[in-house]
Amino acid sequence: MTTDDDLKIAKEGIILVGEVIKAAGDNPNVKAAGNEIGKTVLTVTRTINNALIPLAAVNFAFDKARAYFAERFQSDLAAKARAIPPDQVVEPKASIAGPALQGLAFAHEEPDLKEMYLSLLSSAMDGRVSASIHPAFVEIIRQLSSEEARLIQSSLRTSGGIPIAELRLFDNKSGTWEVLYRHLLNFQNPTTHAPIENLRIPAFVDNWTRLGLVDVDYAKYVATEKIYDWVEQRPEFLRLKTERENDASKVTFQKGVIARTSLGEQFAAAVGVIANQIPGK
């Protein structure tokens, strides 16, 4: 890349920032909304210069990011931050706002990730809870797929544990067993309640555990009657029973529990999955 190319890229980045700031000032919805939304937008535009300039070095999706920040970002963020009292709106820390804005530039077309980024920015601008927003939360969102961002919400919303199962093949003679299927969860169609199979779930759960959002423990279980009855009705269990079970071995399952960690709870509040705990309320 030549020096002229470098200058051209930097110039394009500066133009992008100018467009975003101009949109924030000229947008009639922002003007009409009064001080509350106006202050919300202004606090963020202060950070946009440093946060978005690096995007000038990346051509991928640059035009779409430019259009989103110029046309829709202000109203999206204002809607998220509407509940913040005007006197509690603070400028978000650059360590959070910068990476979050860059992540949003590439994820704004994926609704579940977009919502997490916007909620995180809103939380970072709320003086009542901003101290609890960890910079690592941005990196956690970056390491979730859009599908994961949707599926993990049930685990993050639940204060207690959720039943999970590990399918095993038990050898009747030796008394030993081997794992056939890890991290079986009872995902269902919300309308028909029919079980939904997703071969990516075991890897997703491993990823959530790696990120510190949940713990999975097969030495513990949820002590509620019939709460694991669904396991033997799942297509994964029935298929393995047909394929692997014989006179010498039997397909069984081990009860377990998946539960959010303290970090997972704090992350869930920061990204809007659960309500933020406002001090004094």
Short mmCIF file of all heavy atoms in Angstrom, two decimals, residues 67-120:
data_model
loop_
_atom_site.label_atom_id
_atom_site.label_comp_id
_atom_site.label_asym_id
_atom_site.label_seq_id
_atom_site.Cartn_x
_atom_site.Cartn_y
_atom_site.Cartn_z
N ALA A 67 -23.37 3.87 6.53
CA ALA A 67 -24.80 4.16 6.41
C ALA A 67 -25.52 3.95 7.74
O ALA A 67 -26.38 4.74 8.14
CB ALA A 67 -25.42 3.30 5.32
N TYR A 68 -25.16 2.87 8.44
CA TYR A 68 -25.84 2.59 9.71
C TYR A 68 -25.58 3.69 10.72
O TYR A 68 -26.52 4.21 11.35
CB TYR A 68 -25.39 1.25 10.29
CG TYR A 68 -25.92 1.04 11.68
CD1 TYR A 68 -27.27 0.78 11.90
CD2 TYR A 68 -25.09 1.16 12.80
CE1 TYR A 68 -27.78 0.65 13.18
CE2 TYR A 68 -25.59 1.02 14.08
CZ TYR A 68 -26.94 0.76 14.26
OH TYR A 68 -27.44 0.65 15.55
N PHE A 69 -24.32 4.06 10.91
CA PHE A 69 -24.00 5.08 11.91
C PHE A 69 -24.56 6.44 11.53
O PHE A 69 -24.92 7.24 12.40
CB PHE A 69 -22.49 5.16 12.13
CG PHE A 69 -21.96 4.08 13.03
CD1 PHE A 69 -21.28 3.00 12.50
CD2 PHE A 69 -22.18 4.11 14.39
CE1 PHE A 69 -20.81 1.99 13.32
CE2 PHE A 69 -21.71 3.10 15.22
CZ PHE A 69 -21.02 2.03 14.68
N ALA A 70 -24.66 6.72 10.25
CA ALA A 70 -25.17 8.02 9.81
C ALA A 70 -26.68 8.10 9.89
O ALA A 70 -27.24 9.16 10.15
CB ALA A 70 -24.70 8.31 8.38
N GLU A 71 -27.37 6.97 9.69
CA GLU A 71 -28.82 7.02 9.52
C GLU A 71 -29.61 6.45 10.69
O GLU A 71 -30.72 6.94 10.98
CB GLU A 71 -29.20 6.26 8.25
CG GLU A 71 -28.62 6.87 6.97
CD GLU A 71 -28.78 5.95 5.77
OE1 GLU A 71 -29.49 4.91 5.91
OE2 GLU A 71 -28.21 6.26 4.71
N ARG A 72 -29.11 5.41 11.36
CA ARG A 72 -29.96 4.73 12.34
C ARG A 72 -29.37 4.62 13.74
O ARG A 72 -30.09 4.38 14.71
CB ARG A 72 -30.29 3.30 11.84
CG ARG A 72 -31.03 3.29 10.52
CD ARG A 72 -31.63 1.92 10.23
NE ARG A 72 -30.63 0.85 10.28
CZ ARG A 72 -29.82 0.54 9.28
NH1 ARG A 72 -29.87 1.22 8.16
NH2 ARG A 72 -28.97 -0.46 9.39
N PHE A 73 -28.07 4.76 13.86
CA PHE A 73 -27.43 4.54 15.15
C PHE A 73 -27.97 5.44 16.24
O PHE A 73 -28.26 4.99 17.36
CB PHE A 73 -25.91 4.73 15.01
CG PHE A 73 -25.18 4.74 16.33
CD1 PHE A 73 -25.08 3.60 17.10
CD2 PHE A 73 -24.58 5.90 16.79
CE1 PHE A 73 -24.40 3.60 18.30
CE2 PHE A 73 -23.90 5.91 18.00
CZ PHE A 73 -23.81 4.76 18.75
N GLN A 74 -28.13 6.73 15.95
CA GLN A 74 -28.57 7.66 16.98
C GLN A 74 -29.93 7.27 17.57
O GLN A 74 -30.12 7.25 18.79
CB GLN A 74 -28.63 9.10 16.43
CG GLN A 74 -27.28 9.74 16.17
CD GLN A 74 -26.66 9.26 14.87
OE1 GLN A 74 -27.36 8.74 14.00
NE2 GLN A 74 -25.37 9.42 14.72
N SER A 75 -30.88 6.96 16.68
CA SER A 75 -32.21 6.61 17.18
C SER A 75 -32.20 5.27 17.90
O SER A 75 -32.91 5.09 18.90
CB SER A 75 -33.22 6.59 16.02
OG SER A 75 -32.83 5.67 15.03
N ASP A 76 -31.39 4.31 17.42
CA ASP A 76 -31.30 3.01 18.10
C ASP A 76 -30.76 3.17 19.52
O ASP A 76 -31.31 2.61 20.48
CB ASP A 76 -30.37 2.07 17.32
CG ASP A 76 -31.01 1.52 16.06
OD1 ASP A 76 -32.23 1.70 15.88
OD2 ASP A 76 -30.29 0.90 15.26
N LEU A 77 -29.69 3.94 19.65
CA LEU A 77 -29.09 4.11 20.98
C LEU A 77 -29.98 4.96 21.88
O LEU A 77 -30.11 4.69 23.07
CB LEU A 77 -27.70 4.74 20.87
CG LEU A 77 -26.93 4.86 22.19
CD1 LEU A 77 -26.73 3.48 22.82
CD2 LEU A 77 -25.59 5.54 21.99
N ALA A 78 -30.61 5.96 21.31
CA ALA A 78 -31.50 6.81 22.10
C ALA A 78 -32.65 6.00 22.69
O ALA A 78 -33.05 6.20 23.84
CB ALA A 78 -32.04 7.95 21.24
N ALA A 79 -33.17 5.05 21.90
CA ALA A 79 -34.25 4.20 22.40
C ALA A 79 -33.77 3.35 23.58
O ALA A 79 -34.50 3.17 24.56
CB ALA A 79 -34.77 3.31 21.29
N LYS A 80 -32.54 2.85 23.49
CA LYS A 80 -31.99 2.05 24.59
C LYS A 80 -31.75 2.90 25.84
O LYS A 80 -31.93 2.43 26.96
CB LYS A 80 -30.65 1.43 24.15
CG LYS A 80 -30.79 0.29 23.18
CD LYS A 80 -31.34 -0.94 23.85
CE LYS A 80 -31.41 -2.11 22.91
NZ LYS A 80 -32.06 -3.30 23.54
N ALA A 81 -31.32 4.14 25.64
CA ALA A 81 -30.92 4.99 26.76
C ALA A 81 -32.05 5.87 27.29
O ALA A 81 -31.83 6.68 28.19
CB ALA A 81 -29.74 5.87 26.34
N ARG A 82 -33.24 5.69 26.77
CA ARG A 82 -34.35 6.58 27.14
C ARG A 82 -34.66 6.56 28.63
O ARG A 82 -35.11 7.56 29.19
CB ARG A 82 -35.59 6.20 26.32
CG ARG A 82 -36.76 7.19 26.49
CD ARG A 82 -37.84 6.93 25.46
NE ARG A 82 -37.41 7.39 24.14
CZ ARG A 82 -37.29 6.62 23.06
NH1 ARG A 82 -37.55 5.33 23.16
NH2 ARG A 82 -36.91 7.11 21.91
N ALA A 83 -34.43 5.41 29.27
CA ALA A 83 -34.79 5.30 30.69
C ALA A 83 -33.74 5.90 31.62
O ALA A 83 -33.97 5.98 32.83
CB ALA A 83 -35.02 3.83 31.05
N ILE A 84 -32.61 6.33 31.08
CA ILE A 84 -31.57 6.92 31.94
C ILE A 84 -31.96 8.35 32.29
O ILE A 84 -32.20 9.16 31.39
CB ILE A 84 -30.20 6.93 31.22
CG1 ILE A 84 -29.83 5.53 30.74
CG2 ILE A 84 -29.12 7.48 32.15
CD1 ILE A 84 -28.55 5.49 29.92
N PRO A 85 -32.02 8.71 33.57
CA PRO A 85 -32.31 10.10 33.92
C PRO A 85 -31.26 11.03 33.32
O PRO A 85 -30.06 10.68 33.30
CB PRO A 85 -32.23 10.10 35.46
CG PRO A 85 -32.46 8.67 35.85
CD PRO A 85 -31.86 7.85 34.75
N PRO A 86 -31.66 12.19 32.79
CA PRO A 86 -30.69 13.09 32.15
C PRO A 86 -29.48 13.42 33.01
O PRO A 86 -28.37 13.53 32.49
CB PRO A 86 -31.52 14.34 31.86
CG PRO A 86 -32.93 13.84 31.73
CD PRO A 86 -33.04 12.70 32.71
N ASP A 87 -29.67 13.54 34.32
CA ASP A 87 -28.55 13.89 35.18
C ASP A 87 -27.63 12.70 35.48
O ASP A 87 -26.60 12.84 36.13
CB ASP A 87 -29.04 14.51 36.50
CG ASP A 87 -29.88 13.53 37.31
OD1 ASP A 87 -30.37 12.53 36.74
OD2 ASP A 87 -30.04 13.76 38.53
N GLN A 88 -28.01 11.51 34.96
CA GLN A 88 -27.18 10.32 35.17
C GLN A 88 -26.48 9.87 33.90
O GLN A 88 -25.77 8.87 33.91
CB GLN A 88 -28.05 9.17 35.71
CG GLN A 88 -28.59 9.40 37.12
CD GLN A 88 -27.49 9.42 38.15
OE1 GLN A 88 -26.42 8.85 37.96
NE2 GLN A 88 -27.74 10.08 39.28
N VAL A 89 -26.68 10.59 32.80
CA VAL A 89 -26.01 10.24 31.55
C VAL A 89 -24.54 10.66 31.64
O VAL A 89 -24.24 11.82 31.91
CB VAL A 89 -26.67 10.92 30.34
CG1 VAL A 89 -25.88 10.62 29.05
CG2 VAL A 89 -28.11 10.45 30.19
N VAL A 90 -23.64 9.71 31.45
CA VAL A 90 -22.21 9.98 31.53
C VAL A 90 -21.55 9.54 30.22
O VAL A 90 -22.09 8.73 29.47
CB VAL A 90 -21.56 9.24 32.72
CG1 VAL A 90 -22.14 9.70 34.04
CG2 VAL A 90 -21.68 7.73 32.56
N GLU A 91 -20.37 10.08 29.98
CA GLU A 91 -19.61 9.65 28.81
C GLU A 91 -19.05 8.26 29.08
O GLU A 91 -18.40 8.04 30.11
CB GLU A 91 -18.48 10.62 28.52
CG GLU A 91 -17.71 10.27 27.26
CD GLU A 91 -16.70 11.35 26.88
OE1 GLU A 91 -16.68 12.41 27.54
OE2 GLU A 91 -15.95 11.12 25.92
N PRO A 92 -19.30 7.30 28.20
CA PRO A 92 -18.80 5.95 28.46
C PRO A 92 -17.29 5.88 28.38
O PRO A 92 -16.66 6.66 27.66
CB PRO A 92 -19.44 5.12 27.33
CG PRO A 92 -19.68 6.11 26.24
CD PRO A 92 -20.02 7.40 26.93
N LYS A 93 -16.71 4.97 29.12
CA LYS A 93 -15.27 4.80 29.08
C LYS A 93 -14.84 4.40 27.67
O LYS A 93 -15.49 3.59 27.02
CB LYS A 93 -14.82 3.72 30.07
CG LYS A 93 -15.01 4.10 31.53
CD LYS A 93 -14.55 2.97 32.44
CE LYS A 93 -14.74 3.32 33.91
NZ LYS A 93 -14.34 2.19 34.79
N ALA A 94 -13.72 4.95 27.22
CA ALA A 94 -13.23 4.65 25.88
C ALA A 94 -12.91 3.16 25.74
O ALA A 94 -13.05 2.59 24.65
CB ALA A 94 -11.99 5.48 25.58
N SER A 95 -12.49 2.51 26.83
CA SER A 95 -12.15 1.09 26.77
C SER A 95 -13.36 0.22 26.48
O SER A 95 -13.22 -0.94 26.07
CB SER A 95 -11.50 0.65 28.09
OG SER A 95 -12.40 0.85 29.18
N ILE A 96 -14.54 0.77 26.69
CA ILE A 96 -15.78 0.05 26.40
C ILE A 96 -16.42 0.58 25.11
O ILE A 96 -16.75 -0.19 24.21
CB ILE A 96 -16.77 0.18 27.58
CG1 ILE A 96 -16.19 -0.49 28.82
CG2 ILE A 96 -18.12 -0.43 27.21
CD1 ILE A 96 -16.95 -0.20 30.09
N ALA A 97 -16.58 1.90 25.03
CA ALA A 97 -17.26 2.48 23.88
C ALA A 97 -16.52 2.24 22.58
O ALA A 97 -17.14 1.93 21.55
CB ALA A 97 -17.47 3.98 24.10
N GLY A 98 -15.20 2.38 22.60
CA GLY A 98 -14.43 2.21 21.37
C GLY A 98 -14.60 0.83 20.76
O GLY A 98 -15.08 0.69 19.63
N PRO A 99 -14.23 -0.24 21.49
CA PRO A 99 -14.41 -1.59 20.93
C PRO A 99 -15.88 -1.93 20.65
O PRO A 99 -16.17 -2.65 19.69
CB PRO A 99 -13.84 -2.50 22.03
CG PRO A 99 -12.91 -1.63 22.80
CD PRO A 99 -13.51 -0.26 22.77
N ALA A 100 -16.81 -1.42 21.48
CA ALA A 100 -18.23 -1.73 21.25
C ALA A 100 -18.72 -1.12 19.95
O ALA A 100 -19.47 -1.75 19.19
CB ALA A 100 -19.07 -1.23 22.42
N LEU A 101 -18.32 0.10 19.67
CA LEU A 101 -18.73 0.75 18.42
C LEU A 101 -18.13 0.03 17.21
O LEU A 101 -18.79 -0.13 16.18
CB LEU A 101 -18.32 2.23 18.43
CG LEU A 101 -19.15 3.13 19.33
CD1 LEU A 101 -18.46 4.47 19.52
CD2 LEU A 101 -20.55 3.32 18.77
N GLN A 102 -16.89 -0.39 17.34
CA GLN A 102 -16.27 -1.13 16.24
C GLN A 102 -16.96 -2.47 16.03
O GLN A 102 -17.21 -2.88 14.89
CB GLN A 102 -14.78 -1.32 16.51
CG GLN A 102 -13.99 -0.02 16.46
CD GLN A 102 -12.51 -0.22 16.77
OE1 GLN A 102 -11.95 -1.25 16.47
NE2 GLN A 102 -11.90 0.78 17.39
N GLY A 103 -17.29 -3.16 17.12
CA GLY A 103 -18.02 -4.42 16.99
C GLY A 103 -19.38 -4.21 16.37
O GLY A 103 -19.82 -5.00 15.53
N LEU A 104 -20.06 -3.15 16.78
CA LEU A 104 -21.38 -2.84 16.24
C LEU A 104 -21.31 -2.56 14.75
O LEU A 104 -22.24 -2.89 14.00
CB LEU A 104 -21.97 -1.64 16.99
CG LEU A 104 -23.36 -1.18 16.58
CD1 LEU A 104 -24.39 -2.30 16.77
CD2 LEU A 104 -23.77 0.05 17.40
N ALA A 105 -20.23 -1.96 14.29
CA ALA A 105 -20.09 -1.66 12.87
C ALA A 105 -20.17 -2.92 12.02
O ALA A 105 -20.69 -2.89 10.90
CB ALA A 105 -18.77 -0.93 12.62
N PHE A 106 -19.67 -4.03 12.54
CA PHE A 106 -19.66 -5.27 11.78
C PHE A 106 -20.84 -6.18 12.13
O PHE A 106 -21.07 -7.16 11.42
CB PHE A 106 -18.35 -6.02 12.01
CG PHE A 106 -17.17 -5.32 11.41
CD1 PHE A 106 -16.33 -4.54 12.20
CD2 PHE A 106 -16.90 -5.40 10.05
CE1 PHE A 106 -15.25 -3.88 11.65
CE2 PHE A 106 -15.83 -4.74 9.49
CZ PHE A 106 -14.99 -3.97 10.29
N ALA A 107 -21.57 -5.88 13.19
CA ALA A 107 -22.66 -6.76 13.62
C ALA A 107 -24.03 -6.11 13.54
O ALA A 107 -25.01 -6.71 13.98
CB ALA A 107 -22.40 -7.22 15.06
N HIS A 108 -24.13 -4.90 12.99
CA HIS A 108 -25.41 -4.18 13.02
C HIS A 108 -26.49 -4.83 12.18
O HIS A 108 -27.68 -4.51 12.32
CB HIS A 108 -25.22 -2.72 12.59
CG HIS A 108 -24.78 -2.55 11.17
ND1 HIS A 108 -25.67 -2.46 10.13
CD2 HIS A 108 -23.55 -2.46 10.63
CE1 HIS A 108 -24.99 -2.32 8.99
NE2 HIS A 108 -23.71 -2.32 9.27
N GLU A 109 -26.12 -5.78 11.32
CA GLU A 109 -27.11 -6.50 10.52
C GLU A 109 -27.54 -7.82 11.17
O GLU A 109 -28.35 -8.55 10.63
CB GLU A 109 -26.57 -6.76 9.12
CG GLU A 109 -26.38 -5.50 8.29
CD GLU A 109 -25.90 -5.77 6.88
OE1 GLU A 109 -24.88 -6.47 6.73
OE2 GLU A 109 -26.55 -5.28 5.95
N GLU A 110 -26.99 -8.12 12.34
CA GLU A 110 -27.35 -9.32 13.08
C GLU A 110 -28.08 -8.88 14.35
O GLU A 110 -27.44 -8.46 15.32
CB GLU A 110 -26.11 -10.14 13.41
CG GLU A 110 -25.34 -10.57 12.16
CD GLU A 110 -24.11 -11.41 12.49
OE1 GLU A 110 -24.30 -12.57 12.88
OE2 GLU A 110 -22.99 -10.88 12.37
N PRO A 111 -29.40 -8.97 14.38
CA PRO A 111 -30.21 -8.34 15.44
C PRO A 111 -29.80 -8.70 16.86
O PRO A 111 -29.76 -7.82 17.73
CB PRO A 111 -31.63 -8.83 15.12
CG PRO A 111 -31.62 -9.10 13.66
CD PRO A 111 -30.25 -9.61 13.35
N ASP A 112 -29.51 -9.97 17.14
CA ASP A 112 -29.21 -10.36 18.52
C ASP A 112 -27.90 -9.76 19.01
O ASP A 112 -27.81 -9.30 20.15
CB ASP A 112 -29.18 -11.88 18.64
CG ASP A 112 -30.54 -12.51 18.35
OD1 ASP A 112 -31.45 -12.32 19.16
OD2 ASP A 112 -30.68 -13.14 17.30
N LEU A 113 -26.88 -9.75 18.16
CA LEU A 113 -25.61 -9.14 18.53
C LEU A 113 -25.74 -7.62 18.60
O LEU A 113 -25.19 -6.97 19.50
CB LEU A 113 -24.52 -9.53 17.53
CG LEU A 113 -24.12 -11.00 17.52
CD1 LEU A 113 -23.12 -11.27 16.40
CD2 LEU A 113 -23.53 -11.43 18.86
N LYS A 114 -26.47 -7.05 17.65
CA LYS A 114 -26.69 -5.60 17.65
C LYS A 114 -27.34 -5.14 18.95
O LYS A 114 -26.91 -4.14 19.55
CB LYS A 114 -27.58 -5.23 16.46
CG LYS A 114 -28.03 -3.78 16.43
CD LYS A 114 -29.02 -3.58 15.29
CE LYS A 114 -29.68 -2.22 15.35
NZ LYS A 114 -30.68 -2.03 14.28
N GLU A 115 -28.35 -5.87 19.41
CA GLU A 115 -29.03 -5.51 20.65
C GLU A 115 -28.08 -5.55 21.84
O GLU A 115 -28.14 -4.71 22.73
CB GLU A 115 -30.22 -6.45 20.88
CG GLU A 115 -31.39 -6.21 19.97
CD GLU A 115 -31.97 -4.82 20.13
OE1 GLU A 115 -32.36 -4.46 21.26
OE2 GLU A 115 -32.01 -4.07 19.13
N MET A 116 -27.19 -6.55 21.85
CA MET A 116 -26.24 -6.65 22.95
C MET A 116 -25.28 -5.46 22.96
O MET A 116 -25.01 -4.87 24.01
CB MET A 116 -25.45 -7.96 22.86
CG MET A 116 -26.21 -9.18 23.35
SD MET A 116 -25.12 -10.63 23.50
CE MET A 116 -26.23 -11.76 24.35
N TYR A 117 -24.75 -5.11 21.79
CA TYR A 117 -23.83 -3.97 21.72
C TYR A 117 -24.53 -2.67 22.14
O TYR A 117 -23.95 -1.88 22.91
CB TYR A 117 -23.28 -3.82 20.30
CG TYR A 117 -22.13 -4.74 19.97
CD1 TYR A 117 -22.22 -5.65 18.92
CD2 TYR A 117 -20.94 -4.71 20.70
CE1 TYR A 117 -21.15 -6.49 18.59
CE2 TYR A 117 -19.88 -5.55 20.39
CZ TYR A 117 -19.99 -6.43 19.34
OH TYR A 117 -18.94 -7.26 19.03
N LEU A 118 -25.73 -2.44 21.64
CA LEU A 118 -26.44 -1.21 21.98
C LEU A 118 -26.77 -1.15 23.47
O LEU A 118 -26.63 -0.09 24.11
CB LEU A 118 -27.73 -1.10 21.16
CG LEU A 118 -27.55 -0.80 19.67
CD1 LEU A 118 -28.87 -0.98 18.92
CD2 LEU A 118 -27.03 0.62 19.45
N SER A 119 -27.19 -2.27 24.04
CA SER A 119 -27.50 -2.30 25.47
C SER A 119 -26.24 -2.08 26.30
O SER A 119 -26.28 -1.40 27.34
CB SER A 119 -28.15 -3.64 25.84
OG SER A 119 -29.41 -3.78 25.23
N LEU A 120 -25.13 -2.64 25.84
CA LEU A 120 -23.87 -2.44 26.56
C LEU A 120 -23.46 -0.98 26.54
O LEU A 120 -23.04 -0.42 27.57
CB LEU A 120 -22.78 -3.30 25.94
CG LEU A 120 -21.40 -3.25 26.63
CD1 LEU A 120 -21.50 -3.78 28.05
CD2 LEU A 120 -20.38 -4.05 25.83
#
